[in-house]
Amino acid sequence: MTGEHFCTATVVHSPGRNLIVTAGHCLLAGRVGGGGASFAPAYGDGQAPYGSWKIAEVFEDPRWSDGTNDDYDLAFARLAPDASGRNIEDVTGAAVLDTTGRTDEQVTVTGYPSDRKVARTCVSRAVRLSATEQRFDCADFPGGTSGSSWIASDGKIIGVLTGGDTDDVSTSTILSGYAAELYAKATGGAAGGGR
């Protein structure tokens, strides 16, 4: 693999079995050319145990892509099949996206810091800050962990790390109706989103 690691993403269940979710600020909306970003699940110590998938198209809410409104800092990316013709979800499995606005519960967050070769995992409580934002407190989630999914005890994604004022306090948008609409757009209008 070449290039630099800059964000974390998670395979999210979809009808096409080819979708990841990350923070909106990690990618640019639209179709991606041949030299674009790729996704290497479980990458660590210079190894990509599941291989690498090229990003084919990125979907973002225009309130983020056009206006950088932090309440919509979320992206889905459709991945092209790998060199063997496999879809990502068939190789790694996937987590289900929950867009019911859940928060105020325990989550497990795994991110890949840019400055080291191994993942960082923490279990903490997601706490609602406002109608559109939640946070979790866990030491040492630096650059590169943006896009990390917040996995609830039932295995569903209820948040995606979008920022924080320090490496010890991380934030996510509340995954509600706008996230469901964006997921539907990314999947070609297919129903889903864990409702």
Side-chain angles (χ1 to χ4, degrees):
M1 288 194 50
T2 59
E4 296 292 320
H5 159 79
F6 56 89
C7 275
T8 300
T10 302
V11 180
V12 61
H13 175 66
S14 67
R17 305 184 68 76
N18 60 355
L19 207 62
I20 57 173
V21 63
T22 190
H25 68 265
C26 292
L27 298 168
L28 295 174
R31 294 193 183 274
V32 178
S38 62
F39 175 65
Y43 183 80
D45 289 324
Q47 301 295 313
Y50 296 102
S52 178
W53 278 260
K54 289 283 186 191
I55 294 175
E57 189 169 7
V58 176
F59 302 87
E60 295 178 347
D61 189 296
R63 290 168 286 194
W64 168 257
S65 58
D66 297 341
T68 62
N69 182 330
D70 288 341
D71 291 346
Y72 305 96
D73 187 359
L74 183 71
F76 293 97
R78 184 174 44 79
L79 304 178
D82 72 358
S84 300
R86 302 173 300 175
N87 284 319
I88 185 72
E89 190 173 338
D90 295 327
V91 176
T92 63
V96 172
L97 183 73
D98 189 314
T99 58
T100 61
R102 288 169 59 182
T103 187
D104 297 318
E105 60 186 280
Q106 182 174 289
V107 293
T108 301
V109 181
T110 299
Y112 291 84
S114 296
D115 62 353
R116 59 195 82 148
K117 297 181 179 183
V118 295
R120 166 87 175 99
T121 298
C122 186
V123 177
S124 187
R125 184 165 192 86
V127 178
R128 182 181 299 270
L129 294 175
S130 70
T132 58
E133 186 178 44
Q134 59 185 328
R135 72 181 257 183
F136 89 106
D137 298 350
C138 200
D140 197 26
F141 268 78
T145 60
S146 285
S148 304
S149 287
W150 298 17
I151 308 291
S153 59
D154 62 1
K156 293 183 178 179
I157 300 168
I158 66 166
V160 174
L161 196 153
T162 55
D165 291 334
T166 71
D167 291 350
D168 301 335
V169 177
S170 300
T171 57
S172 168
T173 64
I174 301 286
L175 299 181
S176 57
Y178 92 93
E181 290 170 14
L182 187 58
Y183 175 87
K185 181 179 176 185
T187 58
R195 288 178 281 246

